[in-house]
């Protein structure tokens, strides 16, 4: 009797998690881009089936050792998304890893083929070989809600548990 109960519970959990996976998608692209004196730019082409009323967010990790006057720019379909440099004091230097989370790129994407480009103005110096690395690029999509409610993750989890309890009671 308990095995039937657990099988039913497992099937319901599998269904609910499958629905959650379909609701929020993640596009993950190349793991590692490095620009330096020898390679001043990198380009990646990717396809997205853009959905109306969805918001697309770009996230990645970046680090490097830019010197004064050097910069790295990130473009999506020719639109400048971010610029990093020591001159701008926006974490353009330092070999420690920094995260850029959830930059909205919805207006820059098109349905179908898109281009992500990294350009740099880096030159060799006497004391170092400057470089900049961007890795773990992800584009996540979120449906834009027509109603803005202050619902926290705790409430979402509570509703999930209530749904499971209702399914168990219905079966039991």
């Amino acid at each position: 009797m308990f095995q039937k109960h657990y099988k039913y519970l497992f099937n319901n959990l599998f269904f609910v998690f499958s629905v959650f996976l379909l609701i929020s998608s993640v596009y993950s692209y190349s793991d590692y881009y490095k620009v330096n004196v020898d390679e001043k730019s990198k380009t990646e082409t990717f396809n997205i089936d853009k959905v109306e009323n969805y918001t697309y967010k770009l996230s990645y990790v970046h680090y490097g050792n830019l010197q004064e006057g050097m910069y790295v720019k990130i473009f999506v379909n020719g639109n400048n998304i971010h610029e990093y440099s020591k001159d701008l004091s926006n974490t353009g230097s330092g070999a420690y890893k920094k995260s850029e989370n959830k930059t909205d790129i919805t207006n820059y994407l098109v349905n179908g083929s898109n281009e992500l480009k990294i350009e740099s103005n880096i030159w060799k110096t006497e004391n170092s070989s400057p470089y900049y690395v961007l890795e773990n690029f992800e584009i996540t999509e979120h449906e834009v809600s027509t109603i803005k409610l202050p619902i926290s993750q705790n409430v979402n989890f509570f509703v999930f548990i209530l749904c499971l309890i209702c399914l168990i009671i219905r079966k039991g």
Side-chain angles (χ1 to χ4, degrees):
M1 175 158 167
F2 285 115
Q3 287 180 340
K4 274 187 173 180
H5 181 68
Y6 287 122
K7 183 178 178 183
Y8 177 75
L9 182 63
F10 175 76
N11 287 339
N12 285 325
L13 280 174
F14 180 75
F15 174 75
V16 170
F17 284 124
S18 298
V19 169
F20 280 132
L21 286 175
L22 291 174
I23 290 173
S24 178
S25 298
V26 175
Y27 299 96
S28 184
Y29 298 101
S30 181
D31 291 331
Y32 186 83
Y33 292 104
K34 183 176 183 178
V35 289
N36 55 29
V37 175
D38 299 323
E39 287 189 82
K40 295 193 182 252
S41 68
K42 297 272 186 172
T43 302
E44 175 87 15
T45 303
F46 59 94
N47 290 313
I48 285 188
D49 295 326
K50 191 172 177 187
V51 179
E52 192 174 323
N53 294 328
Y54 272 48
T55 301
Y56 294 85
K57 307 276 185 166
L58 175 68
S59 302
Y60 55 91
V61 174
H62 61 102
Y63 56 94
N65 67 343
L66 298 177
Q67 304 300 320
E68 287 188 31
M70 299 179 188
Y71 64 82
V72 172
K73 292 182 180 180
I74 301 170
F75 297 89
V76 173
N77 291 332
N79 297 291
N80 190 351
I81 303 301
H82 283 289
E83 180 175 346
Y84 299 104
S85 76
K86 193 171 186 177
D87 300 336
L88 294 175
S89 298
N90 65 349
T91 65
S93 63
Y96 58 93
K97 293 183 177 185
K98 301 160 282 285
S99 293
E100 188 66 52
N101 292 316
K102 311 282 187 222
T103 301
D104 189 354
I105 58 171
T106 305
N107 295 332
Y108 307 125
L109 293 175
V110 296
N111 191 25
S113 182
N114 292 275
E115 181 182 85
L116 176 71
K117 186 173 186 178
I118 300 145
E119 286 185 358
S120 67
N121 181 22
I122 295 177
W123 59 86
K124 189 162 179 67
T125 64
E126 287 182 22
N127 301 333
S128 67
S129 294
Y131 70 95
Y132 213 74
V133 173
L134 297 110
E135 60 186 16
N136 301 329
F137 276 90
E138 281 185 353
I139 296 175
T140 54
E141 62 182 24
H142 305 281
E143 184 175 2
V144 177
S145 176
T146 54
I147 301 173
K148 302 285 185 191
L149 298 175
I151 298 175
S152 69
Q153 293 290 25
N154 294 337
V155 173
N156 286 336
F157 182 72
F158 181 67
V159 169
F160 174 72
I161 297 298
L162 283 175
C163 289
L164 286 177
I165 291 171
C166 288
L167 288 171
I168 292 170
I169 290 173
R170 189 184 78 181
K171 181 64 179 178

